Amino acid sequence: MVFGPLKIRLYGDPCLEAKSKAVKEVGPVERMLIAAMFETMIACRGVGLAAPQVGINEQIFVVDTGKEIFAAVNPKIIKSAGSDVMEEGCLSIPRVMVDVKRPKNVWVEFTDQENRQVRTQLSGLVSRVFQHEYDHLHGKLILDYLAPKDRTKIISQMKNGSYVGKVLGDDDDYKRKM
């Protein structure tokens, strides 16, 4: 069984709002899914991709910041420290960029695609990407970080086609900004 490039689910798809289920074991099917998710993420010029974004509500996501590359299964954030605000985009919400306040450093644990337990501290871009994808596994999107008034306005504009935000991928350097 080969998955190939996968279709990215867009804002409004119920899969994006659902909480994902834990994975019992990383076997051949999960490894094929992870490979297809990496392929899809790279084709879309992303730095992270969560399984709900491709219609699968399981606790799996992939990350490729250019420096750190890994798959995380059943991830947990154990603790966090510091905070900063950075503009984030999302493959499931094209053209929308949102300032999101997140911890600078996170201590995490997860299972990798070889069923090894990983426990590590993340900082910088990889910390932010991990947290963004972790949010997806809990049905949370970058729009949820907006003030209710701003969120309602952007969603309304997205629905009627009048939203004129930044088009993701226009910058050569987009992958470094997330």
Side-chain angles (χ1 to χ4, degrees), residues 79-151:
K79 71 177 186 171
S80 61
S83 71
D84 66 353
V85 176
M86 186 174 165
E87 190 175 63
E88 292 184 21
C90 181
L91 295 174
S92 292
I93 313 173
R95 302 169 35 110
V96 175
M97 300 297 286
V98 174
D99 284 336
V100 178
K101 182 178 181 180
R102 294 193 187 276
K104 281 185 178 184
N105 302 295
V106 290
W107 287 260
V108 301
E109 64 182 27
F110 59 89
T111 303
D112 71 8
Q113 67 255 35
E114 301 303 324
N115 271 314
R116 295 179 296 228
Q117 294 300 307
V118 177
R119 195 173 188 147
T120 189
Q121 176 188 354
L122 304 174
S123 61
L125 179 60
V126 70
S127 170
R128 183 163 288 275
V129 175
F130 189 99
Q131 292 173 74
H132 178 107
E133 302 311 328
Y134 183 82
D135 278 353
H136 275 296
L137 303 183
H138 296 90
K140 188 171 185 174
L141 302 171
I142 58 173
L143 294 175
D144 297 327
Y145 287 92
L146 290 170
K149 179 179 86 169
D150 295 333
R151 184 175 190 271

Side-chain angles (χ1 to χ4, degrees), residues 20-26 58-61 71-77 108-112 115 117-118 130 134 137-138:
S20 296
K21 297 176 185 166
V23 175
K24 291 180 183 175
E25 179 184 10
V26 181
E58 292 189 0
Q59 292 182 12
I60 299 172
F61 64 74
V73 178
N74 300 331
K76 292 182 178 70
I77 295 176
V108 301
E109 64 182 27
F110 59 89
T111 303
D112 71 8
N115 271 314
Q117 294 300 307
V118 177
F130 189 99
Y134 183 82
L137 303 183
H138 296 90

Side-chain angles (χ1 to χ4, degrees), residues 25-36:
E25 179 184 10
V26 181
V29 172
E30 289 77 16
R31 285 188 194 94
M32 284 188 284
L33 171 61
I34 288 167

Side-chain angles (χ1 to χ4, degrees), residues 41 46-50 53 61-65 91 129 132-133 178:
M41 176 189 62
V47 292
L49 183 67
Q53 291 180 273
F61 64 74
V62 296
V63 172
D64 181 353
T65 65
L91 295 174
V129 175
H132 178 107
E133 302 311 328
M178 187 174 90

